[in-house]
Amino acid sequence: MSAPEGVGAREPVRRQAAAESRSGREALARVLLIAFGLAVAVDLGSLLAGAEAGHQIAKPLLMPLLAGHVYARGGRRMLVAALLCGWGGDVFLLASADIAFLLGMGCFAAGHVCYLLLFGWGRTHPALGIGYGIALVVAVAVLWPDLPADLRIPVAGYSVLLTAMAYRSSRLGLLVGLGGALFLLSDMLIATGVADWPQLPRPDFWIMLTYLGAQVLLAQAYRESPVVRSTV
């Protein structure tokens, strides 16, 4: 049976349109990635130089640019949502008020939930889970006495969620797993600051460096193979 008249003629047009669409998305992804790199350079450079205005301008641009890049590359909705939750946390943490800190922590917690949904519940290495569990208990125990009383329970609850995300991230390979570990390290640096422990010089620089490294590596989840992809 022959194809209906006109169908064969339209097929090359459809293929060309699909190819042009892919090319356009790839071009957009490259532009957004370059813009993200520039925003990272401005933000980290501003923190090193003590230029607070540059940090205030660049920081809110970071996660939307990275999320846009991931979306243009065909990333899953939950990955884009996780990055945008990080954007909410970034914006709230620009303020110094306690309520802003709690709201920022809530945004990051929502992002960790998105990551957990993305990673799914397949098998991961039990020894790694034991290591993360020990790190969680030790960290909460040593930080607890020095945390403000009204932040102890929220920080402990957040730490459980963060550690679960870091552990489950290993399911998608070394790069994504390293991203989860870096996120844990970045938030530990924040927690030691809240607990008023001695800090490295330019602590905000090290917090943002590890945080941005974490989000970039976690964003590599868009490369995950169909075998392990979440359905969300």
Side-chain angles (χ1 to χ4, degrees):
M1 180 182 295
S2 61
E5 185 177 354
V7 171
R10 289 196 297 271
E11 186 60 28
V13 176
R14 284 197 293 267
R15 286 199 297 267
Q16 181 179 356
E20 290 175 353
S21 176
R22 285 195 300 272
S23 177
R25 289 175 70 91
E26 289 171 0
L28 176 60
R30 287 193 294 270
V31 169
L32 290 171
L33 185 60
I34 292 169
F36 172 73
L38 291 173
V40 167
V42 170
D43 188 60
L44 295 180
S46 297
L47 290 172
L48 280 176
E52 181 63 22
H55 175 59
Q56 294 277 338
I57 293 170
K59 188 179 181 183
L61 301 176
L62 294 166
M63 289 305 107
L65 289 171
L66 183 57
H69 168 74
V70 168
Y71 180 76
R73 295 300 300 266
R76 306 293 251 180
R77 292 191 300 272
M78 280 296 154
L79 178 55
V80 174
L83 294 170
L84 292 178
C85 286
W87 169 70
D90 289 345
V91 171
F92 280 121
L93 292 187
L94 285 172
S96 57
D98 288 347
I99 185 63
F101 179 80
L102 289 171
L103 289 171
M105 188 163 59
C107 287
F108 284 121
H112 297 327
V113 171
C114 292
Y115 277 130
L116 285 169
L117 291 172
L118 176 71
F119 299 151
W121 299 103
R123 181 177 174 80
T124 48
H125 202 292
L128 186 62
I130 293 171
Y132 271 124
I134 293 172
L136 170 65
V137 172
V138 171
V140 171
V142 298
L143 285 168
W144 186 272
D146 296 324
L147 290 172
D150 59 335
L151 291 180
R152 288 173 179 168
I153 298 300
V155 167
Y158 174 82
S159 298
V160 172
L161 189 58
L162 169 62
T163 305
M165 183 281 294
Y167 169 52
R168 297 302 305 168
S169 67
S170 65
R171 181 171 179 254
L172 297 190
L174 180 60
L175 285 180
V176 179
L178 181 58
L182 276 178
F183 212 129
L184 185 61
L185 173 59
S186 181
D187 279 4
M188 273 298 298
L189 294 175
I190 294 175
T192 58
V194 173
D196 203 24
W197 286 14
Q199 298 291 295
L200 295 168
R202 301 291 185 192
D204 288 346
F205 170 80
W206 298 109
I207 289 169
M208 284 302 297
L209 180 65
T210 51
Y211 166 69
L212 289 171
Q215 292 284 44
V216 168
L217 290 174
L218 287 167
Q220 301 311 301
Y222 82 82
R223 300 176 184 272
E224 62 184 295
S225 70
V227 174
V228 297
R229 268 190 180 169
S230 168
T231 58
V232 292

